[in-house]
Amino acid sequence: MQLIYEQSVSGRRGVKLPASDVPSAACLPKNLLRSEAAGLPELSELDLVRHFTRLSRRNFSVDTNFYPLGSCSMKYNAKVLENSAALFAPFHPMTALLPGGEEYCQGTLGMLYDLGQLLTDITGMDEVTTQPLAGAHGEMTGILLISAYHRARGKKKKYVVVPDSSHGTNPASAAIAGYEIITVPTAPYGDMDLDLFRQAMNDEVAAVMMTCPNTLGLFNPHIKEISDIAHSHDALMYYDGANLNAIMGKVKPGDVGFDVIHVNLHKTFGTPHGGGGPGSGPVGVKKALAPFLPQPRIVMDDEGKFVMESVKSGTIGRTANFFGNFGVMAKAYAYIIMLGREGLINVSEQAVLNANYIKERLRDYYELPYDKTCMHECVFSASRQLEHGVHAIDISKFLIDRGYHPPTVYFPMIVKEAIMIEPTETESKATMDAFIEVMIEAAKTAESNPQALHEAPLTMPVGRLDETKAAREQNVCCAG
Amino acid sequence: MSEMYFTKEHEWIKVEGAKGKVGISDHAAHELGDITFVELPKPGKSVKQFEVLAAIESVKAASDIYSPVSGKVLTVNTVMDTAPEIVNESAEEKGWMVELEISDAGELEKLMTKGQYDEYLKTL
């Protein structure tokens, strides 16, 4: 397939504009003006359409095939949700911020308000801000709230405790907010080592950040005990909601001692975030932290009207323009309303059932480093295959040949040769069975003909890419 | 004659008088796979024992490298900037990363000898 630059023909245009009959005015200083043409490809409209249509056909997506990256990356999102966002498109985002503007956007403000209420109910929190634009942004907001809470009470706190089975963004967010990180290792039973956790805790700890279920797909049965220990040191409990898909309607993090939570609307609540966004990471808090939430906030007045709350002191300030990524929230709102309470419970039950089904069907073929009932995802190790010189990456390349997107590999990092499979709730048994057969075929091929796995993929436009060369020699150039 | 000590996190230090060169073990380099980037500290930086000294990235993962002892960074191996693959080729020789001025030789007692480290690897 030719690159778009290779198809370029000098002077060819998709749209021909008439020559300008307005004298050009020098509005930019000379040193900012281009001295030569930008070197853009020159194509007709039809050539362009064909080029991008061809490219899109080479794209692998959840709309075409099974995609075991799961809600962690992107689960299937019902197409009807796209319509719900489109309904709001004509409204100008400034409307609510103009004097008296609230009158003209009661529906949009009400939607945001209702979404916040629904999220407090799902998470067991008291208040929610919808401003944060993604999960890690939510973490940053949450940590700043925790910091403001301790400061307001005159407490000097220095550390944030994070288990090594948490998402890597947890320690990163806390470090950027100025805390020192104490990492607690995972015990052989797959959860944070409780004894080491007790030793790590002290009165200078501001917060404990937990991902639950953790990156091994395991639910920590000691959460209540952990939060009691944290609270006894006046530390707050932070819940990373990236894996909320496993527990909706089953556990409210607020009920088991969590004080702050972010949820990823773009993971759990039916909105796409492939390709880097946009996302949405609302943050929920218990009452004690509510005064510090980002402003402005949407509240309901005595007459049931939605109004913007005036800025109060104590707030950590805005974390995003307007109210966050509005389109993502409209889709999430539609998703929650469409499924309802029972529907959301069903989502989590089905997601967990599917992951356990795959775990049980593959357990004779792949090593299970933490052999327990899993939540929405199961983590294998390719350690048995490694004895034949086959790595997790070879298995994932083999899957490509068989029409499957590889699952997450080499994560979590605490599992050697990790293969993490998250089917999600939307896949049928027949789809999973077909995938399982291919995984079994890969395991058998690893024993009988490891070389075949090293050579995969064979069916793609290009063979095995040299990932090392791509990382070491980052020479990106643009043909003029 | 230089002596080599290892940490449980798979760093080594080769001690020569009051100075020591630091790198990662052959085992660690093999486990990480092809190394693509090593982030080195600035000369003059002071570190405490077992604190983060440098960072390393491979095609599989990014990891921290911890200082085997407390000390001050004297020099760094700038070969890392252009050819990080030297860590895969010679992790315990040419793939050294940092030369430290050792501030407390007593801390070496907390580390393992080559023999002890080889025994430790068998337990992993």
Side-chain angles (χ1 to χ4, degrees):
Chain A
M1 186 171 165
Q2 275 188 315
L3 298 176
I4 197 165
Y5 286 96
E6 290 166 342
Q7 298 172 48
S8 178
V9 176
S10 178
R12 191 166 282 175
R13 290 285 180 277
V15 179
K16 287 203 166 101
L17 297 175
S20 171
D21 56 2
V22 181
S24 62
C27 51
L28 284 173
K30 246 205 167 118
N31 62 333
L32 295 178
L33 292 175
R34 222 177 246 298
S35 57
E36 52 191 70
L40 298 173
E42 298 173 87
L43 281 84
S44 72
E45 179 179 316
L46 181 56
D47 288 342
L48 186 86
V49 167
R50 283 186 180 149
H51 177 75
F52 283 109
T53 306
R54 273 192 212 114
L55 265 187
S56 75
R57 284 186 179 178
R58 294 197 167 183
N59 190 27
F60 190 103
S61 77
V62 74
D63 282 351
T64 52
N65 297 69
F66 181 47
Y67 194 94
L69 294 171
S71 70
C72 179
S73 287
M74 186 161 96
K75 65 181 188 181
Y76 174 72
N77 303 304
K79 301 296 175 226
V80 67
L81 304 175
E82 294 297 324
N83 297 346
S84 66
L87 290 175
F88 287 92
F91 294 104
H92 197 284
M94 283 300 283
T95 313
L97 305 174
L98 297 171
E102 292 148 342
E103 288 284 343
Y104 301 98
C105 53
Q106 283 294 297
T108 29
L109 293 180
M111 193 281 288
L112 290 172
Y113 180 85
D114 279 352
L115 177 64
Q117 296 293 307
L118 291 167
L119 293 175
T120 57
D121 192 28
I122 292 167
T123 59
M125 293 289 154
D126 295 320
E127 301 275 349
V128 161
T129 172
T130 58
Q131 281 189 17
L133 301 168
H137 194 201
E139 289 176 31
M140 186 70 188
T141 304
I143 289 291
L144 290 176
L145 289 167
I146 288 168
S147 173
Y149 167 84
H150 288 306
R151 255 202 323 275
R153 297 165 77 242
K155 295 281 172 66
K156 287 207 167 131
K157 299 278 194 175
K158 205 171 156 190
Y159 305 104
V160 167
V161 170
V162 188
D164 68 357
S165 58
S166 282
H167 285 124
T169 45
N170 291 177
S173 299
I176 288 175
Y179 288 105
E180 284 182 39
I181 310 302
I182 301 175
T183 306
V184 183
T186 301
Y189 46 85
D191 298 318
M192 178 167 76
D193 191 306
L194 261 184
D195 290 331
L196 294 177
F197 171 66
R198 277 197 198 89
Q199 289 168 27
M201 286 305 293
N202 62 67
D203 288 347
E204 281 192 297
V205 174
V208 179
M209 295 181 89
M210 304 276 295
T211 305
C212 189
N214 64 15
T215 52
L216 295 166
L218 302 176
F219 190 85
N220 191 319
H222 306 291
I223 284 291
K224 187 77 180 79
E225 199 180 340
I226 290 166
S227 64
D228 287 347
I229 295 168
H231 290 147
S232 75
H233 289 282
D234 194 30
L236 296 175
M237 289 289 290
Y238 185 94
Y239 182 95
D240 178 328
N243 290 343
L244 195 70
N245 210 50
I247 63 159
M248 282 186 293
K250 295 289 176 184
V251 186
K252 292 185 179 186
D255 290 351
V256 289
F258 286 99
D259 305 288
V260 184
I261 174 174
H262 85 261
V263 296
N264 302 66
L265 297 186
H266 51 277
K267 292 188 177 193
T268 312
F269 295 101
T271 80
H273 88 310
S280 178
V283 170
V285 295
K286 287 288 180 64
K287 267 203 174 61
L289 289 109
F292 312 107
L293 283 171
Q295 300 281 350
R297 305 196 57 222
I298 301 161
V299 293
M300 197 198 280
D301 71 8
D302 298 339
E303 296 165 12
K305 264 196 341 194
F306 301 104
V307 292
M308 309 285 285
E309 188 184 62
S310 53
V311 175
K312 288 180 179 167
S313 63
T315 172
I316 61 166
R318 268 185 187 277
T319 54
N321 281 330
F322 304 110
F323 309 98
N325 276 333
F326 185 85
V328 179
M329 287 185 267
K331 291 177 207 175
Y333 180 68
Y335 182 80
I336 296 171
I337 296 290
M338 190 174 77
L339 289 173
R341 184 174 178 277
E342 284 70 28
L344 289 182
I345 292 172
N346 202 9
V347 162
S348 288
E349 286 181 351
Q350 204 64 44
V352 171
L353 182 64
N354 285 357
N356 278 285
Y357 178 66
I358 288 182
K359 174 172 75 74
E360 289 306 312
R361 286 280 319 269
L362 289 178
R363 67 182 306 134
D364 291 341
Y365 303 92
Y366 293 91
E367 186 68 23
L368 271 175
Y370 298 94
D371 188 1
K372 292 164 78 171
T373 303
C374 67
M375 298 298 287
H376 62 308
E377 59 198 8
C378 56
V379 179
F380 292 99
S381 163
S383 56
R384 289 185 208 168
Q385 287 69 36
L386 193 59
E387 289 168 21
H388 305 283
V390 171
H391 292 77
I393 187 125
D394 300 318
I395 294 163
S396 58
K397 300 297 181 193
F398 178 81
L399 286 173
I400 295 174
D401 272 342
R402 292 293 182 273
Y404 292 97
H405 193 286
T408 304
V409 289
Y410 300 107
F411 182 87
M413 280 158 61
I414 50 180
V415 172
K416 193 175 174 179
E417 297 290 330
I419 302 177
M420 176 200 247
I421 301 171
E422 183 183 351
T424 77
E425 64 279 5
T426 47
E427 299 302 333
S428 68
K429 180 169 174 294
T431 302
M432 289 191 292
D433 282 338
F435 171 74
I436 287 163
E437 288 309 319
V438 171
M439 283 295 288
I440 293 172
E441 187 191 346
K444 287 181 177 165
T445 310
E447 289 177 24
S448 62
N449 185 9
Q451 189 54 27
L453 294 179
H454 293 145
E455 286 166 3
L458 297 170
T459 61
M460 293 290 109
V462 290
R464 181 79 68 102
L465 298 173
D466 188 340
E467 294 180 23
T468 308
K469 190 177 168 69
R472 279 184 187 157
E473 298 170 33
Q474 296 174 349
N475 306 323
V476 180
C477 67
C478 170
Chain B
M1 164 102 190
S2 62
E3 292 212 45
M4 205 165 176
Y5 298 90
F6 289 81
T7 71
K8 281 189 175 176
E9 301 283 350
H10 310 288
E11 293 89 8
W12 54 259
I13 180 163
K14 213 175 274 179
V15 182
E16 285 182 44
K19 294 194 280 188
K21 279 185 177 151
V22 176
I24 64 167
S25 70
D26 283 331
H27 169 81
H30 182 74
E31 286 291 303
L32 282 167
D34 291 332
I35 309 293
T36 54
F37 180 67
V38 181
E39 188 183 335
L40 296 169
K42 288 210 168 70
K45 181 189 158 96
S46 293
V47 281
K48 288 199 183 123
Q49 190 176 30
F50 305 138
E51 274 188 0
V52 176
L53 177 67
I56 189 162
E57 286 179 25
S58 75
V59 285
K60 284 188 201 166
S63 319
D64 286 330
I65 294 170
Y66 301 96
S67 186
V69 293
S70 307
K72 199 166 85 175
V73 177
L74 294 173
T75 50
V76 296
N77 188 357
T78 50
V79 175
M80 299 291 153
D81 294 341
T82 49
E85 56 268 29
I86 194 156
V87 181
N88 292 111
E89 289 156 11
S90 174
E92 296 183 12
E93 274 287 335
K94 290 181 190 156
W96 68 275
M97 293 167 189
V98 174
E99 188 170 42
L100 288 176
E101 184 183 273
I102 300 169
S103 55
D104 178 5
E107 286 177 349
L108 294 168
E109 285 172 24
K110 292 184 197 164
L111 306 177
M112 291 176 274
T113 62
K114 175 80 180 153
Q116 286 168 331
Y117 178 69
D118 288 341
E119 285 300 310
Y120 167 69
L121 287 182
K122 286 180 195 161
T123 67
L124 297 181

